[in-house]
Amino acid sequence: MPEPVPADTAEEGPDAPPTDGDSEAEWDESGSTQLSGLFVEKPPPSITAVTGMDLIIIAKVDSTTLTRKPTMKWLKGKWLDLGSKAGKHMQFKETYDRNTKIYTYEMKIIKAVAGDSGGYRCEVTAKDKCDSSTFEISVEAAQQEAQADIFSAFKRADAGEDDGDLDFSALLKAAKKKKVKEEPQIDVWELLKSAHPSEYEKIAFEYGITDLRGMLKRLKKMKVVEPKHSEAFLKKLESCYSVEKGKKIVLRCEVMDPDVQVKWLKNGQEIKPSAKYIMESLGNVRTLTLNRTTLADDAAYECVVGEDKCFTEVFIKEPPVTITKLMDDYHVVVGERVEFEIEVSEEGAHVMWYFEDIELQKDSPNYRFKKDGKKHTLIIQEATLAEIGMYHAWTNGGHTKGELEVEEKQLEVLQDIADLTVKATDQALFKCEVSDEKVTGKWFKDGVEVLPSERIKMTHIGRFHRLLIDDVKPEDAGDYTFVPNGYALSISAKLNFLEIKVDYVPRQDPPKIHLDTTGNMVSQNTIIVVAGNKLRLDVEITGEPAPTVVWSKGDKVIKDTEGRVRVEARKDLSCFVIEGAEREDEGNYTICVTNPAGEDKAMLFVKIVDVPDPPQNVRCLSVGEDCASMIWDPPVFDGGAPLKGYLMERKKKGSSRWTKLNFDVYESNAYEAKRMIEGVMYEMRVFAINSIGMSQPSLTSKPFMPIAPTSEPIRLTVHDVTDSTCTLKWLAPEKIGAGGMDGYVIEYCKEGDTEWVVANQELCERQGYVVRGLPVGEKINFRVKAVNIAGQSPPAVLSQPVTIREIMEYPKIRLPRELRTKYIRRVGEKINLTIPFQGKPRPVATWYKDGEPIDPKMVNVRNSNVDSILFIREAEREHSGTYELVLQIENMEDRAAIVLRIVDKPGPPVKLRVTDVWGFNAALEWEPPKDDGNCDITGYTIQKADMKTKEWFTVYDHNRRTNCTASDLVMGNEYMFRVFSENLCGQSDDACLSKNTAVIAKTDLEHKRSPYKEKEITCVPKFTQPLVDRSVVAGYSTAISCAVKGFPKPKIVWMKNKMIISEDPKYLMRNYQGVLTLNIRKPGTFDGGKYSCVAVNELGKDEVECKLDVRLATDPDKK
């Protein structure tokens, strides 16, 4: 007997919805499991659960002998499929153990309630095999610990505090001392059985019973309820009904009295007729039709006739909610916001969110849940390392999952601070760029924090941090450092102050260029500028008289004093400025100064560095079950700085959310992406990184899908062997995967060889193949591989080689059972006889009819390796006979005979005559037909006709004899007769007429007819049932009716307050066999008044009237 399975130890599948582990199911000790059929383990036949606790029922199925996956259904009662009830209260799970090949099915009832009690059944089916197991679940209220006997479970042992539902603690102390000693032998169960329910509390007080409710529950189970016979119903409502949401359902019962009125109740409330609820009465049948059912219609319904009732329950099956947009994976850093979003097929659907195996509740402080139509979102405001794992979303018809990876923050310097050399009163700007926009920091000069002032300003915009110093002074020179808050990182640069010295020079002094090789110059005469930054080069010029300065790039002279690239002239200085440096600005620049005393030249190389171009040609080389090998080409331009590596991102096709695959720079241009979901399309892009920063993303790769080859085919066997062929058969692989199945490749090789030969040029789609052209007598090894888009599977190999040699087999005809007796068919029918046989080598089949070879013009024959077919397009009488099939292999043969009879309608009987006439009778005789239609005559049909009318009437059907007596003939008439013959095909087309007639002579009787008096049926209109005064509630449809008689049929006119009611859609007038009805749809107070009905015909008229009072509905709560 299996042990009870508590909820916290239930076996979990990798993709199954998790279960709560804080409660157990209480099982009956009488439950036991019997191993039979497909079940390895069945649920116990009787299960007891406690209200509010979880309950798990387990069933296990052995699939070692099954060719396909079994299907499990959980049912309540005989019909209700619990799969439609899956959700928050009921959950179903399925796991599979590949080692033991055992499927484990679980049904979990969360927080059991009393309505879960009843009979259940689990059914497992697999192709042509089926097995089922029934069990009973009873749900009881939580009780105290069991005592020595049943009575003591409801009775206190001392005078302590009351533990039961009823509070008798103040009175029981004295009652126990008195009553227990005086009447210790009284059986309280017998008292309760025979007592009236109004005396239960009195007995409980008298005998110290505190848990009266629990005791009454057991008493109810002990009582035998006699079935109550219904006097009002012929047939009651079914015990329950089931219907899909949105469909129509009809509740039907039959009553004893066809005129009785019934009431329909829903959950105890009376139902009023409407477009939603249609009540019909037809004879004894009463029906209630529910149109366009919703979940609100899932309720208990009653049909009431007087004091008698019948009950039923309607269950609304909600269609399974599927997930139309799957969940994406996330790869974030600590503190980032995460939104797992899915879309479902129905609005307002219930979605359960799980983290690993823990259900996420709405009151959780770390998670928020959002619903917007069909979109459902799980929001994590600030991700932490504790949130790393797999997140699941479950509906009653679908499941999706997404992985969250959280990395600790790593700050990267995208742009370093450059050293500066400035003159007095100039402006100095330090700028750096880090990878996180939210990072703040502080500036230091020679280790002392720099504070903002009117001359010194610090800004933080996005990822850029700037320090601006206006009107530079000599004391501003020094080392400047930016330190990000929260990171052990610092970025430093040096500010050099350019001091201008004025010396006395002669009046004639050759020009001289004084270049400062510090600052941006990484080497002499080479300046590196980051693209987008500003380059300002101040060159000191000396010479007397003042020299002329010319800047040029290559052969092009730069003369502009305004614009992006310009030259500014100051005293003893020449300033070369490039605003927002671009790649085209890179090159050799020359400064030439001249005066009458001479000239001087200097050459500078300006190098522009930038982020690299995006990588090129991102593509997928190969895929696996959950991985893919990616490769790409380096960027065309590296930005002027060596590449440090790459960053990769991937996303699911159709999604807009990219997931980072690495946080550390990856140096190679080949990468294997892992932890992907098989069967899902992915796309990938790559970023290139150098010392300046990160490039734009590459073009998205072509979509690729992680898939894996199937497992090997199973149960490879040899079906047949001949001198040159071998027929193989096998079953499909156990694991096919998302790549599907394209076909199979069959290979063979001789024993001892290692070279395998492919037997089929094209993929074989069936699970069988005939390998042809094999050498006779050789031993051949065979193997089969399954092929899909991912490639070939491992091979399925025969355990031993096959010798190619045909085995002699005696010929044997397998004559079908229906052909072993006489085979009868009608004329004109098609005959197609298939006679299977066996034998090797291929037998020679020959047909004979009545000992002679058959005529191919009359009968068609087709022979194959395993059967012979005899075909006749339209059977005729001459096809009847004995057909013999002879099967020969060399000197061996087998024979089988078939008797074929083609039948037709018979001819008419012959020599029909009247042999005798007496009284009102006539005796007839005839002879059988000459043509019996090739089968026995089964009977005759005899008909008579009066010579006056010549209308034929049947006297006898299926008369087996060739004679009969026609009785009850009319006196004075002369009759003729005819006879039809009958057989298996039916009645003969022609009849045999009698050669003579039968005359029934008259007697001396005379019939005196009474005079006929025509009855007067005309009548003045007269109301047989008057109208009755009524008082109705406003808004509820009503009807008034009366009954009238009169001939000719009177004309009916309805009037309100003496005004004729025209074709107003508010009124519906009916006249059914003199019963007149006026239906008033949802009357208002203005519809009250006097209503009259007038009936008029040519003989006169009559009129009746009534008063209709319409009152407003009153709210009972206000009373």
Side-chain angles (χ1 to χ4, degrees), residues 780-817:
I780 304 294
N781 290 310
F782 293 93
R783 69 182 185 184
V784 179
K785 299 178 181 178
V787 180
N788 67 0
I789 192 174
Q792 295 183 351
S793 71
V797 185
L798 285 175
S799 58
Q800 57 187 7
V802 179
T803 302
I804 307 303
R805 181 179 293 111
E806 188 162 23
I807 302 172
M808 181 69 71
E809 184 178 352
Y810 284 92
K812 179 66 176 177
I813 299 174
R814 303 289 185 183
L815 192 63
R817 184 181 299 275

mmCIF file of all heavy atoms in Angstrom, residues 780-817:
data_model
loop_
_atom_site.group_PDB
_atom_site.id
_atom_site.type_symbol
_atom_site.label_atom_id
_atom_site.label_comp_id
_atom_site.label_asym_id
_atom_site.label_seq_id
_atom_site.Cartn_x
_atom_site.Cartn_y
_atom_site.Cartn_z
ATOM 1 N N ILE A 780 24.802 -9.368 -44.282
ATOM 2 C CA ILE A 780 24.742 -7.903 -44.401
ATOM 3 C C ILE A 780 24.295 -7.313 -43.060
ATOM 4 O O ILE A 780 23.348 -7.805 -42.430
ATOM 5 C CB ILE A 780 23.767 -7.467 -45.508
ATOM 6 C CG1 ILE A 780 24.150 -8.112 -46.842
ATOM 7 C CG2 ILE A 780 23.738 -5.952 -45.632
ATOM 8 C CD1 ILE A 780 25.466 -7.652 -47.404
ATOM 9 N N ASN A 781 24.984 -6.231 -42.634
ATOM 10 C CA ASN A 781 24.560 -5.439 -41.476
ATOM 11 C C ASN A 781 23.734 -4.255 -41.967
ATOM 12 O O ASN A 781 24.053 -3.640 -42.992
ATOM 13 C CB ASN A 781 25.764 -4.922 -40.682
ATOM 14 C CG ASN A 781 26.482 -6.042 -39.951
ATOM 15 O OD1 ASN A 781 25.852 -6.830 -39.264
ATOM 16 N ND2 ASN A 781 27.795 -6.122 -40.124
ATOM 17 N N PHE A 782 22.676 -3.920 -41.216
ATOM 18 C CA PHE A 782 21.807 -2.804 -41.574
ATOM 19 C C PHE A 782 21.738 -1.830 -40.401
ATOM 20 O O PHE A 782 21.830 -2.237 -39.230
ATOM 21 C CB PHE A 782 20.389 -3.288 -41.906
ATOM 22 C CG PHE A 782 20.311 -4.127 -43.155
ATOM 23 C CD1 PHE A 782 20.394 -5.513 -43.085
ATOM 24 C CD2 PHE A 782 20.168 -3.523 -44.388
ATOM 25 C CE1 PHE A 782 20.329 -6.280 -44.229
ATOM 26 C CE2 PHE A 782 20.089 -4.284 -45.532
ATOM 27 C CZ PHE A 782 20.175 -5.664 -45.466
ATOM 28 N N ARG A 783 21.539 -0.558 -40.747
ATOM 29 C CA ARG A 783 21.276 0.460 -39.735
ATOM 30 C C ARG A 783 20.391 1.555 -40.338
ATOM 31 O O ARG A 783 20.374 1.746 -41.554
ATOM 32 C CB ARG A 783 22.563 1.072 -39.185
ATOM 33 C CG ARG A 783 23.339 1.936 -40.157
ATOM 34 C CD ARG A 783 24.631 2.445 -39.525
ATOM 35 N NE ARG A 783 25.348 3.372 -40.399
ATOM 36 C CZ ARG A 783 26.545 3.891 -40.108
ATOM 37 N NH1 ARG A 783 27.149 3.560 -38.966
ATOM 38 N NH2 ARG A 783 27.134 4.735 -40.949
ATOM 39 N N VAL A 784 19.640 2.244 -39.452
ATOM 40 C CA VAL A 784 18.692 3.282 -39.879
ATOM 41 C C VAL A 784 18.943 4.535 -39.041
ATOM 42 O O VAL A 784 19.117 4.444 -37.821
ATOM 43 C CB VAL A 784 17.224 2.811 -39.715
ATOM 44 C CG1 VAL A 784 16.262 3.922 -40.137
ATOM 45 C CG2 VAL A 784 16.971 1.562 -40.535
ATOM 46 N N LYS A 785 18.955 5.691 -39.737
ATOM 47 C CA LYS A 785 19.126 6.976 -39.056
ATOM 48 C C LYS A 785 17.917 7.860 -39.361
ATOM 49 O O LYS A 785 17.409 7.858 -40.482
ATOM 50 C CB LYS A 785 20.392 7.701 -39.519
ATOM 51 C CG LYS A 785 21.686 6.951 -39.244
ATOM 52 C CD LYS A 785 22.862 7.741 -39.779
ATOM 53 C CE LYS A 785 24.182 7.031 -39.543
ATOM 54 N NZ LYS A 785 25.327 7.783 -40.114
ATOM 55 N N ALA A 786 17.498 8.607 -38.349
ATOM 56 C CA ALA A 786 16.445 9.612 -38.548
ATOM 57 C C ALA A 786 17.096 10.933 -38.923
ATOM 58 O O ALA A 786 18.173 11.277 -38.430
ATOM 59 C CB ALA A 786 15.606 9.778 -37.284
ATOM 60 N N VAL A 787 16.430 11.692 -39.808
ATOM 61 C CA VAL A 787 16.997 12.937 -40.330
ATOM 62 C C VAL A 787 15.979 14.059 -40.112
ATOM 63 O O VAL A 787 14.781 13.881 -40.371
ATOM 64 C CB VAL A 787 17.330 12.815 -41.831
ATOM 65 C CG1 VAL A 787 17.919 14.120 -42.356
ATOM 66 C CG2 VAL A 787 18.303 11.669 -42.069
ATOM 67 N N ASN A 788 16.465 15.195 -39.589
ATOM 68 C CA ASN A 788 15.659 16.420 -39.560
ATOM 69 C C ASN A 788 16.554 17.586 -39.933
ATOM 70 O O ASN A 788 17.688 17.399 -40.397
ATOM 71 C CB ASN A 788 14.973 16.609 -38.206
ATOM 72 C CG ASN A 788 15.955 16.879 -37.080
ATOM 73 O OD1 ASN A 788 17.171 16.924 -37.287
ATOM 74 N ND2 ASN A 788 15.442 17.066 -35.882
ATOM 75 N N ILE A 789 16.065 18.801 -39.722
ATOM 76 C CA ILE A 789 16.805 19.988 -40.154
ATOM 77 C C ILE A 789 18.143 20.118 -39.435
ATOM 78 O O ILE A 789 19.067 20.748 -39.924
ATOM 79 C CB ILE A 789 15.925 21.244 -39.945
ATOM 80 C CG1 ILE A 789 16.539 22.446 -40.643
ATOM 81 C CG2 ILE A 789 15.720 21.520 -38.461
ATOM 82 C CD1 ILE A 789 15.657 23.668 -40.612
ATOM 83 N N ALA A 790 18.264 19.493 -38.247
ATOM 84 C CA ALA A 790 19.506 19.593 -37.473
ATOM 85 C C ALA A 790 20.523 18.547 -37.885
ATOM 86 O O ALA A 790 21.671 18.605 -37.452
ATOM 87 C CB ALA A 790 19.204 19.454 -35.987
ATOM 88 N N GLY A 791 20.151 17.588 -38.706
ATOM 89 C CA GLY A 791 21.095 16.561 -39.139
ATOM 90 C C GLY A 791 20.581 15.166 -38.864
ATOM 91 O O GLY A 791 19.388 14.936 -38.664
ATOM 92 N N GLN A 792 21.506 14.225 -38.857
ATOM 93 C CA GLN A 792 21.158 12.818 -38.685
ATOM 94 C C GLN A 792 21.268 12.417 -37.219
ATOM 95 O O GLN A 792 22.126 12.906 -36.479
ATOM 96 C CB GLN A 792 22.062 11.926 -39.531
ATOM 97 C CG GLN A 792 21.911 12.126 -41.032
ATOM 98 C CD GLN A 792 22.777 11.175 -41.831
ATOM 99 O OE1 GLN A 792 23.626 10.470 -41.275
ATOM 100 N NE2 GLN A 792 22.585 11.140 -43.154
ATOM 101 N N SER A 793 20.371 11.513 -36.818
ATOM 102 C CA SER A 793 20.377 11.004 -35.452
ATOM 103 C C SER A 793 21.411 9.886 -35.310
ATOM 104 O O SER A 793 21.962 9.404 -36.316
ATOM 105 C CB SER A 793 18.983 10.457 -35.113
ATOM 106 O OG SER A 793 18.763 9.251 -35.834
ATOM 107 N N PRO A 794 21.689 9.446 -34.079
ATOM 108 C CA PRO A 794 22.480 8.222 -33.916
ATOM 109 C C PRO A 794 21.775 7.062 -34.606
ATOM 110 O O PRO A 794 20.550 7.029 -34.697
ATOM 111 C CB PRO A 794 22.535 8.037 -32.393
ATOM 112 C CG PRO A 794 22.274 9.397 -31.841
ATOM 113 C CD PRO A 794 21.357 10.060 -32.791
ATOM 114 N N PRO A 795 22.530 6.063 -35.121
ATOM 115 C CA PRO A 795 21.881 4.988 -35.892
ATOM 116 C C PRO A 795 21.260 3.932 -34.986
ATOM 117 O O PRO A 795 21.714 3.683 -33.872
ATOM 118 C CB PRO A 795 23.028 4.409 -36.705
ATOM 119 C CG PRO A 795 24.238 4.664 -35.855
ATOM 120 C CD PRO A 795 23.995 5.955 -35.130
ATOM 121 N N ALA A 796 20.197 3.327 -35.509
ATOM 122 C CA ALA A 796 19.642 2.112 -34.908
ATOM 123 C C ALA A 796 20.199 0.944 -35.707
ATOM 124 O O ALA A 796 20.011 0.856 -36.928
ATOM 125 C CB ALA A 796 18.110 2.134 -34.966
ATOM 126 N N VAL A 797 20.921 0.031 -35.060
ATOM 127 C CA VAL A 797 21.660 -1.046 -35.741
ATOM 128 C C VAL A 797 21.060 -2.389 -35.353
ATOM 129 O O VAL A 797 20.696 -2.610 -34.194
ATOM 130 C CB VAL A 797 23.165 -0.995 -35.369
ATOM 131 C CG1 VAL A 797 23.948 -2.028 -36.151
ATOM 132 C CG2 VAL A 797 23.723 0.396 -35.610
ATOM 133 N N LEU A 798 20.933 -3.281 -36.356
ATOM 134 C CA LEU A 798 20.499 -4.653 -36.062
ATOM 135 C C LEU A 798 21.541 -5.347 -35.201
ATOM 136 O O LEU A 798 22.756 -5.150 -35.366
ATOM 137 C CB LEU A 798 20.280 -5.437 -37.353
ATOM 138 C CG LEU A 798 19.003 -5.115 -38.145
ATOM 139 C CD1 LEU A 798 18.994 -5.889 -39.452
ATOM 140 C CD2 LEU A 798 17.772 -5.443 -37.328
ATOM 141 N N SER A 799 21.081 -6.175 -34.299
ATOM 142 C CA SER A 799 22.003 -6.827 -33.358
ATOM 143 C C SER A 799 22.912 -7.841 -34.043
ATOM 144 O O SER A 799 24.005 -8.119 -33.552
ATOM 145 C CB SER A 799 21.195 -7.508 -32.245
ATOM 146 O OG SER A 799 20.300 -8.454 -32.810
ATOM 147 N N GLN A 800 22.494 -8.407 -35.182
ATOM 148 C CA GLN A 800 23.319 -9.394 -35.881
ATOM 149 C C GLN A 800 23.085 -9.259 -37.383
ATOM 150 O O GLN A 800 22.038 -8.766 -37.823
ATOM 151 C CB GLN A 800 22.988 -10.806 -35.415
ATOM 152 C CG GLN A 800 21.531 -11.197 -35.570
ATOM 153 C CD GLN A 800 21.241 -12.542 -34.926
ATOM 154 O OE1 GLN A 800 22.090 -13.095 -34.263
ATOM 155 N NE2 GLN A 800 20.047 -13.054 -35.149
ATOM 156 N N PRO A 801 24.068 -9.690 -38.208
ATOM 157 C CA PRO A 801 23.911 -9.565 -39.655
ATOM 158 C C PRO A 801 22.810 -10.485 -40.188
ATOM 159 O O PRO A 801 22.438 -11.470 -39.560
ATOM 160 C CB PRO A 801 25.295 -9.952 -40.195
ATOM 161 C CG PRO A 801 25.916 -10.762 -39.113
ATOM 162 C CD PRO A 801 25.384 -10.235 -37.826
ATOM 163 N N VAL A 802 22.305 -10.125 -41.377
ATOM 164 C CA VAL A 802 21.223 -10.866 -42.022
ATOM 165 C C VAL A 802 21.794 -11.583 -43.242
ATOM 166 O O VAL A 802 22.486 -10.974 -44.067
ATOM 167 C CB VAL A 802 20.086 -9.919 -42.448
ATOM 168 C CG1 VAL A 802 18.975 -10.694 -43.136
ATOM 169 C CG2 VAL A 802 19.549 -9.169 -41.250
ATOM 170 N N THR A 803 21.503 -12.878 -43.364
ATOM 171 C CA THR A 803 21.937 -13.650 -44.533
ATOM 172 C C THR A 803 20.907 -13.472 -45.641
ATOM 173 O O THR A 803 19.718 -13.744 -45.447
ATOM 174 C CB THR A 803 22.062 -15.139 -44.175
ATOM 175 O OG1 THR A 803 23.000 -15.275 -43.093
ATOM 176 C CG2 THR A 803 22.539 -15.938 -45.373
ATOM 177 N N ILE A 804 21.349 -13.022 -46.814
ATOM 178 C CA ILE A 804 20.452 -12.735 -47.940
ATOM 179 C C ILE A 804 20.193 -14.040 -48.698
ATOM 180 O O ILE A 804 20.971 -14.458 -49.572
ATOM 181 C CB ILE A 804 21.050 -11.662 -48.861
ATOM 182 C CG1 ILE A 804 21.447 -10.426 -48.046
ATOM 183 C CG2 ILE A 804 20.068 -11.286 -49.957
ATOM 184 C CD1 ILE A 804 20.321 -9.828 -47.250
ATOM 185 N N ARG A 805 19.140 -14.699 -48.344
ATOM 186 C CA ARG A 805 18.747 -15.949 -49.007
ATOM 187 C C ARG A 805 17.260 -16.145 -48.768
ATOM 188 O O ARG A 805 16.791 -16.063 -47.636
ATOM 189 C CB ARG A 805 19.525 -17.153 -48.487
ATOM 190 C CG ARG A 805 19.149 -18.463 -49.179
ATOM 191 C CD ARG A 805 19.960 -19.644 -48.659
ATOM 192 N NE ARG A 805 21.370 -19.511 -49.027
ATOM 193 C CZ ARG A 805 22.356 -19.283 -48.167
ATOM 194 N NH1 ARG A 805 22.078 -19.155 -46.873
ATOM 195 N NH2 ARG A 805 23.613 -19.168 -48.573
ATOM 196 N N GLU A 806 16.519 -16.402 -49.839
ATOM 197 C CA GLU A 806 15.075 -16.554 -49.713
ATOM 198 C C GLU A 806 14.747 -17.886 -49.062
ATOM 199 O O GLU A 806 15.341 -18.927 -49.382
ATOM 200 C CB GLU A 806 14.393 -16.465 -51.080
ATOM 201 C CG GLU A 806 12.891 -16.429 -50.980
ATOM 202 C CD GLU A 806 12.246 -15.917 -52.245
ATOM 203 O OE1 GLU A 806 12.899 -16.018 -53.308
ATOM 204 O OE2 GLU A 806 11.120 -15.414 -52.166
ATOM 205 N N ILE A 807 13.778 -17.865 -48.164
ATOM 206 C CA ILE A 807 13.343 -19.063 -47.444
ATOM 207 C C ILE A 807 12.114 -19.629 -48.137
ATOM 208 O O ILE A 807 11.146 -18.918 -48.405
ATOM 209 C CB ILE A 807 13.029 -18.714 -45.982
ATOM 210 C CG1 ILE A 807 14.261 -18.092 -45.313
ATOM 211 C CG2 ILE A 807 12.553 -19.931 -45.226
ATOM 212 C CD1 ILE A 807 13.988 -17.538 -43.936
ATOM 213 N N MET A 808 12.161 -20.941 -48.465
ATOM 214 C CA MET A 808 11.028 -21.593 -49.120
ATOM 215 C C MET A 808 9.862 -21.697 -48.137
ATOM 216 O O MET A 808 10.025 -22.102 -46.997
ATOM 217 C CB MET A 808 11.424 -22.990 -49.611
ATOM 218 C CG MET A 808 10.302 -23.733 -50.318
ATOM 219 S SD MET A 808 9.883 -22.991 -51.898
ATOM 220 C CE MET A 808 11.358 -23.432 -52.845
ATOM 221 N N GLU A 809 8.656 -21.293 -48.620
ATOM 222 C CA GLU A 809 7.461 -21.350 -47.793
ATOM 223 C C GLU A 809 6.330 -21.951 -48.620
ATOM 224 O O GLU A 809 6.099 -21.562 -49.761
ATOM 225 C CB GLU A 809 7.069 -19.936 -47.334
ATOM 226 C CG GLU A 809 5.888 -19.913 -46.385
ATOM 227 C CD GLU A 809 5.570 -18.514 -45.910
ATOM 228 O OE1 GLU A 809 6.361 -17.595 -46.198
ATOM 229 O OE2 GLU A 809 4.515 -18.334 -45.268
ATOM 230 N N TYR A 810 5.635 -22.956 -48.034
ATOM 231 C CA TYR A 810 4.560 -23.637 -48.745
ATOM 232 C C TYR A 810 3.433 -22.655 -49.076
ATOM 233 O O TYR A 810 3.130 -21.756 -48.296
ATOM 234 C CB TYR A 810 3.995 -24.774 -47.892
ATOM 235 C CG TYR A 810 4.888 -25.996 -47.850
ATOM 236 C CD1 TYR A 810 5.834 -26.146 -46.841
ATOM 237 C CD2 TYR A 810 4.783 -26.979 -48.829
ATOM 238 C CE1 TYR A 810 6.667 -27.252 -46.810
ATOM 239 C CE2 TYR A 810 5.604 -28.101 -48.787
ATOM 240 C CZ TYR A 810 6.550 -28.240 -47.785
ATOM 241 O OH TYR A 810 7.354 -29.340 -47.756
ATOM 242 N N PRO A 811 2.773 -22.844 -50.259
ATOM 243 C CA PRO A 811 1.640 -21.968 -50.585
ATOM 244 C C PRO A 811 0.453 -22.259 -49.670
ATOM 245 O O PRO A 811 0.155 -23.418 -49.373
ATOM 246 C CB PRO A 811 1.331 -22.305 -52.046
ATOM 247 C CG PRO A 811 1.839 -23.691 -52.230
ATOM 248 C CD PRO A 811 3.045 -23.831 -51.331
ATOM 249 N N LYS A 812 -0.206 -21.201 -49.241
ATOM 250 C CA LYS A 812 -1.342 -21.342 -48.341
ATOM 251 C C LYS A 812 -2.338 -20.241 -48.643
ATOM 252 O O LYS A 812 -1.992 -19.065 -48.653
ATOM 253 C CB LYS A 812 -0.881 -21.249 -46.878
ATOM 254 C CG LYS A 812 -2.004 -21.362 -45.860
ATOM 255 C CD LYS A 812 -2.642 -22.733 -45.857
ATOM 256 C CE LYS A 812 -3.703 -22.858 -44.775
ATOM 257 N NZ LYS A 812 -4.371 -24.166 -44.806
ATOM 258 N N ILE A 813 -3.601 -20.624 -48.919
ATOM 259 C CA ILE A 813 -4.665 -19.661 -49.203
ATOM 260 C C ILE A 813 -5.401 -19.373 -47.902
ATOM 261 O O ILE A 813 -5.862 -20.296 -47.219
ATOM 262 C CB ILE A 813 -5.642 -20.195 -50.268
ATOM 263 C CG1 ILE A 813 -4.898 -20.457 -51.585
ATOM 264 C CG2 ILE A 813 -6.787 -19.217 -50.491
ATOM 265 C CD1 ILE A 813 -5.758 -21.111 -52.649
ATOM 266 N N ARG A 814 -5.511 -18.060 -47.547
ATOM 267 C CA ARG A 814 -6.235 -17.632 -46.352
ATOM 268 C C ARG A 814 -7.637 -17.170 -46.776
ATOM 269 O O ARG A 814 -7.873 -15.990 -47.019
ATOM 270 C CB ARG A 814 -5.496 -16.488 -45.657
ATOM 271 C CG ARG A 814 -4.069 -16.825 -45.265
ATOM 272 C CD ARG A 814 -4.044 -17.807 -44.121
ATOM 273 N NE ARG A 814 -2.686 -18.056 -43.652
ATOM 274 C CZ ARG A 814 -2.368 -18.916 -42.702
ATOM 275 N NH1 ARG A 814 -3.336 -19.614 -42.106
ATOM 276 N NH2 ARG A 814 -1.117 -19.089 -42.337
ATOM 277 N N LEU A 815 -8.541 -18.124 -46.935
ATOM 278 C CA LEU A 815 -9.869 -17.783 -47.431
ATOM 279 C C LEU A 815 -10.654 -17.075 -46.340
ATOM 280 O O LEU A 815 -10.809 -17.589 -45.223
ATOM 281 C CB LEU A 815 -10.607 -19.062 -47.849
ATOM 282 C CG LEU A 815 -11.893 -18.858 -48.654
ATOM 283 C CD1 LEU A 815 -11.580 -18.186 -49.982
ATOM 284 C CD2 LEU A 815 -12.602 -20.183 -48.883
ATOM 285 N N PRO A 816 -11.187 -15.868 -46.614
ATOM 286 C CA PRO A 816 -11.982 -15.150 -45.602
ATOM 287 C C PRO A 816 -13.191 -15.961 -45.168
ATOM 288 O O PRO A 816 -13.733 -16.777 -45.927
ATOM 289 C CB PRO A 816 -12.395 -13.863 -46.328
ATOM 290 C CG PRO A 816 -11.378 -13.676 -47.403
ATOM 291 C CD PRO A 816 -10.987 -15.058 -47.837
ATOM 292 N N ARG A 817 -13.634 -15.709 -43.925
ATOM 293 C CA ARG A 817 -14.712 -16.492 -43.332
ATOM 294 C C ARG A 817 -16.014 -16.363 -44.144
ATOM 295 O O ARG A 817 -16.735 -17.344 -44.341
ATOM 296 C CB ARG A 817 -14.953 -16.034 -41.895
ATOM 297 C CG ARG A 817 -15.985 -16.847 -41.139
ATOM 298 C CD ARG A 817 -16.168 -16.309 -39.740
ATOM 299 N NE ARG A 817 -14.930 -16.375 -38.973
ATOM 300 C CZ ARG A 817 -14.521 -17.445 -38.311
ATOM 301 N NH1 ARG A 817 -15.254 -18.552 -38.330
ATOM 302 N NH2 ARG A 817 -13.398 -17.420 -37.642
#
